[in-house]
Amino acid sequence: FFFDITPPRSALSPHTPKYEETDRRLGHCSVASYCQALTVLSPFPTRTMGGTYSRSKYDKTAYHEKFFFDLIPGDAASGKTVAVTGATANGLGIWLAKHAVLLGAKRVVLLNRVSPRNAPALAEVIAFSKECGSTSTEILGVECDLLSFASVRNAAKQLNLICKHDGLDVLCLNAGTMAAPDENTDDGYNREVQVNFLAQHLLLKEVFPSLKKAAARTGDARVVQQSSGARMIPGKKGLVKEFFQKREQDSQNVSLPSGLRGDQKKGAGMLMLGPAWKRYGQTKLANSMSTEMYREQASRKEIAGVKFVTASPGLAASELQATTSCEFQSMKPWEANLVFFLAGQGVRDGSLPITQACFGPDVQSGDFYEPSKFTAYGLPRAISTGGVFKNPKADAGTISDDNTKQVMWELLADAFGGEVF
């Protein structure tokens, strides 16, 4: 991750220089002003950074108004059927769903597992639709538990029925877990691999005919994946094939490869980059790399009109950090507080890159969008256009090599009993 070493506006004293209201970050804040801000917060900054992590403390917005007024047409989703995974309260997915409504979508489908957050999320999007006067949008919920391939296949059947006439215009693969414990699912895969990658790509495989139907109708259907700055964690080592394979209980292939095996050591957090974070990095790299893989395969198979796009939210204050900190305990509260104090943003602003990827008018297959300021916050920008990265060295892992992409294509085919498309 790359952070801007400037404090939030709320931390400043009345004597700190005033900056433009359109940006709550102080892009030219002096060291003196920065130190002054820390003093205002507390004579002992580490005390402020400790305690517990609260998402709401950092859930501020600064960029969405400019984005919707200046950067995207108000009817960008008009007539489209949009399906999004992981669309629950206080998350990126629910804001993507709301933005689809705001931009005139015909139908929005929330794909969530059964949980206490599921029904409230659906009600929240319906309420938002009424508030913004978009009462013509049909808003539906479909049960989709990514920890179960059977549930995913059943969800795909329902989604295909919903889309049987016009097809599926946008499939947003947004759901994710972060630095989860080293556990296996009933399907035999590592939990993080299945939730963040495999199950959502099984969904893609099963609904691909609906995407092709929409592409034939409009020339523009999209598969959008949510990646992360954590895609940089694997570095030059790249993707580890064995991590994505099934864990065979009756063989020696039960444990994960060295470095990816086990849980965080007691007292270790995010900055130690233990196995939980390395597993997360593998899945986020797989998300971004597979977009390139799909783009190339679609071109090779002469599949027209289906675009494959990636987004990264930067540092967005969602429930993900709360779960990682409180439930998984693989991120210390002070670590979450520190990074969000330095360069965090609200979840709505964090959803702008994926909103651009889903609905931007000039999006090409192979585009990659992330926040413009230190990759952590700000309006979305393209770091890749049509599969060509502006800084190839920085995203060498994402670009990957032909052999890795072929290995992953075959691995998915083995897991699903046939090629994705």
Side-chain angles (χ1 to χ4, degrees):
F1 301 100
F2 302 93
F3 305 121
D4 177 16
I5 53 170
T6 53
R9 187 175 305 281
S10 59
L12 303 177
S13 79
H15 306 293
T16 306
K18 186 177 181 181
Y19 294 84
E20 292 185 13
E21 291 299 325
T22 55
D23 189 345
R24 67 186 178 89
R25 291 296 182 278
L26 307 180
H28 304 286
C29 181
S30 68
V31 172
S33 296
Y34 178 64
C35 293
Q36 180 188 27
L38 289 180
T39 304
V40 171
L41 275 176
S42 169
F44 304 100
T46 52
R47 187 178 299 170
T48 302
M49 297 304 171
T52 59
Y53 167 78
S54 171
R55 179 201 62 80
S56 59
K57 182 164 56 176
Y58 304 102
D59 195 7
K60 309 294 191 296
T61 59
Y63 300 101
H64 75 276
E65 289 185 359
K66 180 174 178 58
F67 177 78
F68 286 104
F69 281 129
D70 299 339
L71 300 181
I72 196 166
D75 61 351
S78 179
K80 295 182 183 295
T81 293
V82 181
V84 54
T85 62
T88 51
N90 302 322
L92 297 163
I94 198 167
W95 274 112
L96 186 280
K98 290 178 180 179
H99 291 164
V101 170
L102 188 65
L103 295 171
K106 175 183 176 180
R107 184 183 295 114
V108 177
V109 184
L110 279 58
L111 297 160
N112 293 323
R113 66 184 176 89
V114 174
S115 78
R117 298 165 65 192
N118 189 15
L122 188 62
E124 186 176 332
V125 178
I126 292 172
F128 180 86
S129 176
K130 292 178 180 177
E131 288 172 11
C132 65
S134 301
T135 54
S136 62
T137 302
E138 183 183 13
I139 301 166
L140 304 170
V142 171
E143 180 183 343
C144 183
D145 185 351
L146 298 174
L147 288 170
S148 165
F149 282 176
S151 176
V152 171
R153 288 190 168 98
N154 186 57
K157 288 179 182 178
Q158 294 182 59
L159 188 54
N160 283 329
L161 283 174
I162 292 169
C163 303
K164 64 181 178 181
H165 296 301
D166 299 328
L168 177 61
D169 297 278
V170 177
L171 176 64
C172 180
L173 304 178
N174 163 78
T177 185
M178 184 168 71
D182 183 7
E183 300 171 350
N184 292 339
T185 67
D186 290 342
D187 293 302
Y189 294 92
N190 175 265
R191 169 181 175 164
E192 198 136 12
V193 166
Q194 182 156 329
V195 171
N196 292 6
F197 188 65
L198 292 176
Q200 298 190 78
H201 290 252
L202 174 60
L203 178 67
L204 167 59
K205 177 183 185 297
E206 298 296 316
V207 303
F208 199 75
S210 292
L211 286 159
K212 289 180 67 177
K213 182 179 290 185
R217 179 174 55 85
T218 67
D220 186 355
R222 300 184 193 181
V223 178
V224 180
Q225 294 195 68
Q226 189 77 276
S227 185
S228 161
R231 68 186 185 277
M232 303 297 189
I233 292 175
K236 293 182 179 179
K237 294 181 179 179
L239 293 175
V240 178
K241 174 185 175 181
E242 292 75 17
F243 175 54
F244 295 87
Q245 292 178 321
K246 194 170 187 178
R247 318 258 57 89
E248 301 292 347
Q249 298 299 321
D250 56 350
S251 71
Q252 298 300 311
N253 191 30
V254 177
S255 298
L256 293 173
S258 177
L260 299 172
R261 184 187 312 145
D263 294 319
Q264 300 287 99
K265 292 182 179 179
K266 187 175 182 180
M270 175 184 68
L271 299 181
M272 296 297 291
L273 286 183
W277 286 98
K278 290 178 181 177
R279 291 194 294 271
Y280 180 61
Q282 284 282 317
T283 64
K284 294 294 100 179
L285 176 56
N287 290 144
S288 53
M289 183 282 297
S290 58
T291 288
E292 277 298 285
M293 175 185 74
Y294 288 140
R295 182 184 68 83
E296 293 173 3
Q297 288 286 348
S299 176
R300 191 172 296 124
K301 294 173 179 283
E302 298 183 345
I303 297 172
V306 181
K307 300 176 181 178
F308 300 91
V309 192
T310 310
S312 174
L315 286 170
S318 70
E319 288 297 323
L320 203 59
Q321 295 83 19
T323 301
T324 304
S325 175
C326 301
E327 183 179 339
F328 299 159
Q329 297 185 358
S330 47
M331 173 189 279
K332 296 179 181 179
W334 72 262
E335 291 176 320
N337 286 323
L338 175 63
V339 296
F340 278 95
F341 173 77
L342 294 178
Q345 63 182 338
V347 69
R348 185 171 191 180
D349 281 353
S351 72
L352 297 183
I354 205 162
T355 300
Q356 173 67 21
C358 288
F359 308 120
D362 300 318
V363 171
Q364 301 178 40
S365 190
D367 283 5
F368 192 135
Y369 296 91
E370 70 179 5
S372 57
K373 301 193 176 186
F374 300 92
T375 75
Y377 61 91
L379 291 167
R381 66 171 179 179
I383 62 170
S384 170
T385 303
V388 179
F389 281 78
K390 295 179 180 179
N391 187 352
K393 290 184 179 179
D395 262 287
T398 299
I399 297 168
S400 196
D401 61 274
D402 291 339
N403 180 63
T404 299
K405 284 180 277 195
Q406 185 60 34
V407 166
M408 292 303 292
W409 179 258
E410 294 172 357
L411 187 150
L412 291 173
D414 289 342
F416 305 153
E419 293 182 339
V420 175
F421 54 80

